[in-house]
Structures are given as structure tokens and as C-alpha cells.
Amino acid sequence: MDVAAVESDLVKVLFTEAQIQERIAEIAAEIDRDYDGKDLVIVGVLRGAVMVMADMARSLTRHVEMDWMAVSSYGSGTKSSGVVRILKDLDSDLTGRHVLIVDEIIDTGLTLSWLTRNLSSRGAASVEVCTLLRKPDAQRMPLTVKYVGWDIPNEFVVGYGLDYRERYRNLRDIATLAPHVYS
Ligand code: 5GP
Ligand code: MG
């Protein structure tokens, strides 16, 4: 879906499809270098990471296994509590393997800091995190993020996998949502 189809719902395009592809190609080149000769499995967190996983995997110039997890964060209302439940676990065994968790956005970092600890306890050789977007609150968590596309302000964004009530995930660009959509 193009921005033109939902123009009145959006305030501003933050990153266009072309800018996203360019940044992902840069990060993929780093991953190619950093994991040269190593057995790599990339783990996508459903459902938001579907687009970034698909584009990241295709930008790599090496073999990579793609696996998926679905988790739900418990919290009061919209606040994430850091208590995470696994809804769909990985299919692969991580023993001795290099794991890169690929996500579309880190807000508080609670989900990924839990997930990093969980996957590390499975005997992986290494567990690192790659995210396309990162919000300021994430800096306060003890979470090391190896690859970041962009740091963004504390605004609610949609598109490229990011939804508002399951809509806008299939928007090509990443944009901020107009207040009238929430109310
Ligand atoms: P946290 O880092 O707080 O544990 O949770 C990150 C998750 O919150 C993301 O995977 C995403 O589902 C959701 N999230 C955080 N910020 C935004 C945003 O600006 N837009 C959308 N659509 N989802 C967000
Ligand atoms: Mg996510």
C-alpha cells in the first residue's frame, strides 16, 4: 500500500521505502562481514518484523536460516511489564549457533531484553539484536543492540510491519499517524 492511499491518516513520512532499502543494505553488509564463516540463524519476532526479516535476509549474500517467534507482553493497559509469554517458539535448536534477533522497533526494550536472555540460555554461541528503529526509552534498558537502522523520537509510527490495530502494516513507507485516527 502506498502513502497516497491513506494520506489523510498520516502526519509525516519518516522513512520512504527507498530509504529503508538503502539502510537495510548497509546493515546487511555489516552482518555479512561480522558473521563471515559462522553458522547464522536470524530470528524474527512476529508479526512486526516480517518485512524487515524478508528484506534483510534477501540483502545478505550468504546462507542464513530464518526462524520465528511470537511473544506476548503482559502489562497494565499499554505499558509493557517485561513479563513475556511465548506464543510460538522457534523450530530450530540454537546449540552452538550464532543468533541474530531481528526486530522492527524497540520502545522500552523489555521484550527484547527478556528474549535475549531466553535465547542465550539455550546454548547459542552468541545472541545479538538488530532493529530497524529505536526509541529513546530503550537506552535506559541494559540491552546491547548491535545493529540499529535509525534512532527516532518518541512518536507512534506505522508502516513497514508496524501496525495500529492490525492496520498499516502493509504500508511501504514508515510514517507518523494522525491523532484523529486514534480517537
Ligand atoms: P518494547 O520494546 O516496549 O518491549 O516493545 C516493542 C514493541 O512495541 C514493538 O515490537 C511494537 O509491537 C510495539 N511498538 C512500540 N512502539 C511502536 C510504534 O511507534 N508503533 C507501532 N506500531 N508499534 C510500536
Ligand atoms: Mg516487534
Side-chain angles (χ1 to χ4, degrees):
M1 184 168 74
D2 294 328
V3 160
V6 282
E7 196 130 47
S8 61
D9 291 356
L10 308 174
V11 176
K12 181 171 93 181
V13 173
L14 292 185
F15 306 105
T16 64
E17 182 178 28
Q19 287 174 312
I20 296 166
Q21 291 308 322
E22 196 182 320
R23 188 72 188 105
I24 285 180
E26 289 171 358
I27 295 172
E30 284 182 52
I31 295 171
D32 274 333
R33 267 198 310 279
D34 294 349
Y35 290 91
D36 187 33
K38 293 175 175 165
D39 177 22
L40 176 64
V41 49
I42 57 175
V43 171
V45 187
L46 294 168
R47 292 176 239 178
V50 167
M51 309 296 178
V52 63
M53 276 284 279
D55 287 333
M56 184 66 74
R58 285 180 293 181
S59 293
L60 295 172
T61 61
R62 50 159 297 149
H63 290 296
V64 69
E65 181 175 340
M66 299 169 73
D67 205 343
W68 302 91
M69 280 187 88
V71 297
S72 82
S73 252
Y74 283 122
S76 49
T78 57
K79 272 263 182 250
S80 176
S81 65
V83 182
V84 176
R85 188 164 62 110
I86 296 176
L87 302 176
K88 185 232 170 277
D89 207 343
L90 298 175
D91 293 321
S92 10
D93 180 1
L94 301 183
T95 312
R97 310 183 68 190
H98 294 274
V99 178
L100 181 61
I101 304 170
V102 176
D103 213 347
E104 79 292 3
I105 194 164
I106 303 178
D107 183 5
T108 64
L110 282 165
T111 313
L112 277 191
S113 100
W114 182 90
L115 200 56
T116 306
R117 271 181 279 123
N118 181 283
L119 299 191
S120 298
S121 73
R122 304 184 191 196
S126 70
V127 178
E128 301 286 356
V129 173
C130 170
T131 184
L132 187 63
L133 305 175
R134 182 172 60 182
K135 288 189 178 179
D137 282 351
Q139 323 268 12
R140 289 195 257 123
M141 285 297 289
L143 173 70
T144 311
V145 183
K146 194 168 185 182
Y147 309 98
V148 180
W150 293 284
D151 280 298
I152 62 164
N154 216 346
E155 291 175 319
F156 193 80
V157 294
V158 293
Y160 198 68
L162 290 149
D163 74 306
Y164 174 65
R165 297 190 174 169
E166 295 307 325
R167 300 176 96 178
Y168 309 100
R169 280 196 206 277
N170 59 327
L171 184 64
R172 294 178 185 279
D173 304 336
I174 294 173
T176 48
L177 204 55
H180 75 80
V181 180
Y182 309 105
S183 41

